[in-house]
Amino acid sequence: MTTIENRLPADYRAASLRADALAGLTGTPKSLPPKWFYDAQGSELFEKITELPEYYPTRAERSILRAVAPEIAALTGATALVELGSGSSEKTRLLLSALRDAGTLRRYVPVDVSESALTAAGDALAAEYPDLAVHAVVADFEQYLGVSSGDADVTVNGNGGQGPRLVAFLGSTIGNMVPAERAVFLRRARARLRPGDAFLLGTDLVKDPAVLVAAYDDGAGVTAAFNKNVLSVLNAELGADFDLDAFEHVAVWDPEREWIEMRLRAASAQTVRVSDLGLTISFAPGEEMRTEVSAKFREAGVRAELAAAGLAMRSWWTDEEGRFGLSVSFPA
């Protein structure tokens, strides 16, 4: 059985996009949050990215889950799996099957801003796991984790308040947050956990910069199209007149911050009108606008950030090549 709970106000997407675009386009330097890559076209492009030979994170994380999902099920004994930013829930099937085989699984709670993605995933999972109760929540997982505990118990607990929950945050999405944002997010996540609950975190690891840059600047140009799609979103939803061909995709490794930055570089002087905001902005030749930060991690750093939020790492796994890390933590 699948139920859908919508926690977003009716104008959430439009209001959030307007606020983010106004702040980012008038800031110095200019920037836009990576969540605005993901309209229907952007989601399709990202699925293509995950299949590219240069883009290892999805395959690496899946290989870890394939190897250790039964161990995670035994370690957590979870009766409910809560997944933040679930998207298609494809990798989660490995966890659901392991929990089902362990005899504990009763409920799955995917949380995502896309109702259409949640509905499609929920219907598919209900067919594959006929005894599984799927309660999908349409929400911004960062804001959703900050709701009052009474409201949270309705959905995040997701199992009638009985049995431990496994809260999963996969795909190294946490890398899209700068350190201060990560600290706030992890504290909020910890605040929602009860004794016995577990937190499963996927983190992409520091490695050869050439490998990292290639993962965000593939030879086929799919990531470039994905990056420019944020301009298409502004054109379609805010009446902007960005010329996508006038911007170049840039991916650079910052060795001090240990993150990849994706940027869009103006190939020439640009004047762009965003009619819905009553805004006209200028780009100098070569000016760059940041569209994504993708932090890379080390085990010691992940352990320290979790500990600072009140979470004690119990287990740590990597793929065979040491490219990606997966950890399970419990409230300290």
Side-chain angles (χ1 to χ4, degrees):
M1 183 179 93
T2 301
T3 58
I4 300 283
E5 176 186 356
N6 194 328
R7 285 180 164 259
L8 296 179
D11 64 343
Y12 167 81
R13 179 179 174 87
S16 296
L17 179 57
R18 286 195 301 270
D20 287 346
L22 181 60
L25 294 174
T26 59
T28 303
K30 297 180 179 69
S31 65
L32 290 169
K35 66 182 177 181
W36 300 116
F37 291 136
Y38 296 95
D39 62 353
Q41 180 176 332
S43 297
E44 182 178 334
L45 285 167
F46 183 72
E47 288 303 313
K48 291 181 179 178
I49 288 172
T50 64
E51 299 169 359
L52 293 168
E54 298 98 329
Y55 193 79
Y56 62 85
T58 302
R59 291 188 299 275
E61 185 177 44
R62 188 186 297 122
S63 74
I64 302 169
L65 285 169
R66 194 173 289 120
V68 305
E71 187 176 347
I72 293 170
L75 180 66
T76 64
T79 60
L81 176 64
V82 180
E83 187 178 12
L84 307 177
S86 58
S88 66
S89 306
E90 188 272 331
K91 283 179 290 190
T92 315
R93 285 171 168 81
L94 295 166
L95 289 168
L96 291 172
S97 293
L99 291 167
R100 178 193 59 191
D101 294 346
T104 61
L105 179 67
R106 293 202 295 273
R107 195 165 177 85
Y108 174 53
V109 183
V111 182
D112 198 87
V113 295
S114 172
E115 183 168 359
S116 60
L118 286 170
T119 300
D123 290 346
L125 290 169
E128 293 178 41
Y129 303 86
D131 296 327
L132 180 65
V134 179
H135 183 79
V137 183
V138 184
D140 181 326
F141 60 79
E142 292 184 60
Q143 296 179 15
Y144 181 59
L145 287 173
V147 301
S148 68
S149 59
D151 291 337
D153 286 344
V154 175
T155 51
V156 174
N157 285 359
N159 56 5
Q162 300 177 12
R165 298 164 298 165
L166 174 60
V167 178
F169 192 37
L170 300 174
S172 203
T173 303
I174 196 168
N176 294 145
M177 305 175 191
V178 299
E181 293 169 336
R182 296 200 300 266
V184 170
F185 169 78
L186 290 172
R187 285 198 301 268
R188 286 178 174 172
R190 167 62 184 89
R192 305 267 52 86
L193 300 180
R194 299 187 306 252
D197 289 345
F199 184 64
L200 177 65
L201 180 64
T203 44
D204 195 10
L205 303 181
V206 174
K207 56 185 67 66
D208 182 349
V211 174
L212 288 167
V213 171
Y216 294 83
D217 192 12
D218 62 277
V222 181
T223 311
F226 177 69
N227 194 7
K228 291 184 181 185
N229 193 64
V230 72
L231 304 181
S232 297
V233 170
L234 297 185
N235 286 351
E237 300 192 32
L238 293 181
D241 60 359
F242 282 97
D243 177 359
L244 274 61
D245 293 333
F247 288 85
E248 301 166 348
H249 167 65
V250 179
V252 295
W253 170 244
D254 184 328
E256 292 186 8
R257 296 183 175 92
E258 294 194 322
W259 67 40
I260 288 281
E261 280 196 20
M262 290 211 312
R263 307 170 184 165
L264 289 170
R265 178 188 295 149
S268 58
Q270 304 288 321
T271 299
V272 178
R273 173 77 176 169
V274 186
S275 61
D276 288 11
L277 299 179
L279 184 65
T280 300
I281 53 173
S282 298
F283 288 83
E287 182 178 353
E288 295 180 344
M289 175 169 63
R290 189 172 79 183
T291 53
E292 182 177 84
V293 164
S294 186
K296 308 306 169 185
F297 298 88
R298 302 176 187 271
E299 180 185 352
V302 175
R303 190 180 297 271
E305 290 193 36
L306 289 166
L311 290 161
M313 186 191 293
R314 182 81 59 84
S315 296
W316 170 267
W317 304 274
T318 68
D319 61 297
E320 290 184 355
E321 296 179 48
R323 299 168 297 178
F324 200 94
L326 202 65
S327 60
V328 168
S329 302
F330 290 84

